[in-house]
Amino acid sequence: MGTTAYERMLSVAVAALHERDPEQLWPLLASALPELCGGEALIYKLDNWDESEGALGLSPGVAAEFTVLGDEAASLLRAGYPLAEHYANSPDRAPVTARRVAGRSWSASPTARLIDDILDVDHVLGIPLPQSTAPITGCLVYRSGRDFSDDEMRLAQQFQPLLAAVEQQRQLLERWRQLRAPHTSDGPAPELTPRETTVLLLLSDALTAVSIGRRLGISERTVHKHIANIYRKLGTHDRISTVLRAQRLGLVPAVHEPSGV
């Protein structure tokens, strides 16, 4: 990975970890990822690549082209031909292009003609989330001219852990937003960073530091640093008192529910 690409990826990761709104995490990625992979536009889908349902997220600058799409055209994009089927039928999650999957039939497909008409692009690179099983989630990067090279696909593969970490962060922040108690009974809540919030949420699920680190893709040492900051901000000294105080402050739900992530 080139130094410039590495630095930009790192800056995206830092920005994502400081973003409090889960709905802004993927738009943040979508604004940076296409250029880093040698592409021009991006579509992401966080549910199954199904032609009948599911919202498409778009990179900035191409949204206007999609507002005029009819149902049939939108269905083609939702279906993710031929990459969604490719990943559904194989455990391999390495990025690959539509042309390498479908061969010459790709250029003649309705999907290829559609993206040529609306975006003036010829090629698609699939970047699935590395651990996704059912549904297969991830994004498609588009470009015109030549197909994505082996080097660009290897670069995209290096970005996959970042995508997975951001999606994990999005799910945890979304859960926290939905389950957070609306009222507090123990004074004002301290200001936690988004990362501290997700660590606290997993702490309340009785996960160990090792398990939290594995879930978030960070080291056990980093988890302990976040826990120490949480203890300091909440004025506590152990896990049980921290979780109880966090519940009283409305930082985590008072009634435990499965995380679903």
Side-chain angles (χ1 to χ4, degrees), residues 56 199 202 204 258:
L56 297 171
V199 169
L202 295 176
S204 71

Side-chain angles (χ1 to χ4, degrees), residues 78-97:
R78 288 194 186 97
Y81 170 84
L83 295 164
E85 183 178 0
H86 165 75
Y87 289 119
N89 293 330
S90 169
D92 186 9
R93 294 293 175 265
V96 69
T97 69

Side-chain angles (χ1 to χ4, degrees), residues 45-50 88 93 129 131-138:
K45 203 162 186 285
L46 303 180
D47 47 22
N48 198 29
W49 287 84
D50 184 281
R93 294 293 175 265
L129 295 182
Q131 302 302 322
S132 64
T133 53
I136 304 299
T137 55

Side-chain angles (χ1 to χ4, degrees), residues 140-159:
L140 303 176
V141 180
Y142 300 85
R143 69 174 295 162
S144 58
R146 62 174 176 81
D147 199 4
F148 291 85
S149 67
D150 290 341
D151 286 341
E152 288 165 335
M153 287 192 289
R154 281 192 290 268
L155 188 60
Q157 190 167 16
Q158 291 180 292
F159 292 145

Side-chain angles (χ1 to χ4, degrees), residues 86-117:
H86 165 75
Y87 289 119
N89 293 330
S90 169
D92 186 9
R93 294 293 175 265
V96 69
T97 69
R99 183 175 293 277
R100 298 190 187 211
V101 169
R104 293 182 178 180
S105 61
W106 159 248
S107 298
S109 69
T111 303
R113 291 196 297 269
L114 173 65
I115 64 171
D116 183 35
D117 288 341

Side-chain angles (χ1 to χ4, degrees), residues 9 112 169-170 205 215-216 235 259:
M9 185 183 74
Q169 181 85 344
R170 184 193 70 82
D205 280 343
R215 181 78 69 91
L216 298 179
S259 67

